[in-house]
């Protein structure tokens, strides 16, 4: 089934550990999320993805979030979503950037007993929801985001990772 959203997803493999199948899985997860949760628009949407490594994401995490550690995914919304209904139709609306760190994603998938592709697809959904304004700063917001994630994961025929992540959180 073709995506409902006209979307350009620019994926850059910034580490040799990533491969084209990984990029395809991430694209699929982003498209599914945008198709479900992006406000109705005829605009072309642009999302940039960097499939990166722990060192680079650690530097970005410190620079932008003052956290001196690698993380699995970072999202940087462009802020343009608020302008979606005023955006010029001749140019794509940049939704933002998503960055994934291979080593952290792999370590987590192994610790949680989740297939690597399933985990990166979950993280791509999570990152895309951040671009769409979702967050997990409060319990209510966190529950709303989990509900949205689980809806997309179900559509992608992926299992709910939360019980596995919670049961193995001591290992993460």
């Amino acid at each position: 089934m073709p995506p409902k959203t006209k979307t350009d997803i620019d994926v850059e493999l910034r580490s040799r550990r990533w491969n084209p199948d990984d990029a395809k899985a991430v694209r699929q997860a982003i498209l599914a999320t945008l198709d479900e949760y992006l406000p109705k628009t005829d605009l072309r949407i642009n999302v940039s993805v960097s499939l990166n490594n722990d060192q680079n994401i650690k530097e970005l995490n410190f620079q932008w979030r003052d956290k001196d550690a690698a993380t699995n995914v970072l999202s940087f919304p462009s802020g343009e979503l608020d302008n979606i209904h005023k955006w010029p139709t001749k140019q794509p609306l940049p939704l933002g950037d998503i960055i994934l760190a291979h080593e952290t994603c792999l370590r987590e998938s192994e610790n949680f007993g989740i297939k690597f592709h399933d985990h990166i697809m979950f993280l791509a959904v999570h990152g895309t929801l951040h671009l769409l304004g979702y967050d997990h700063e409060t319990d209510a917001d966190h529950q709303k985001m989990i509900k949205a994630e689980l809806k997309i994961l179900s559509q992608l025929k992926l299992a709910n990772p939360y019980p596995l992540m919670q049961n193995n959180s001591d290992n993460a």
Side-chain angles (χ1 to χ4, degrees), residues 3-10 31 34 38-47 80-81 83-84 87-96:
K4 294 183 264 182
T5 307
K6 295 182 285 186
T7 307
D8 296 321
I9 301 172
D10 303 319
L31 283 172
L34 293 177
L38 184 72
K40 177 93 172 100
T41 182
D42 291 328
L43 292 174
R44 181 166 291 283
I45 303 298
N46 178 267
V47 175
E80 297 298 347
L81 188 59
N83 299 320
I84 196 165
W87 195 261
T89 56
K90 298 225 185 269
Q91 54 186 318
L93 182 129
L95 201 55

Side-chain angles (χ1 to χ4, degrees), residues 9-15 18 23 27 48-52:
I9 301 172
D10 303 319
V11 179
E12 183 178 16
L13 282 74
R14 301 273 306 181
S15 167
W18 294 100
R27 273 190 187 95
S48 294
V49 179
S50 176
L51 298 181
N52 221 305

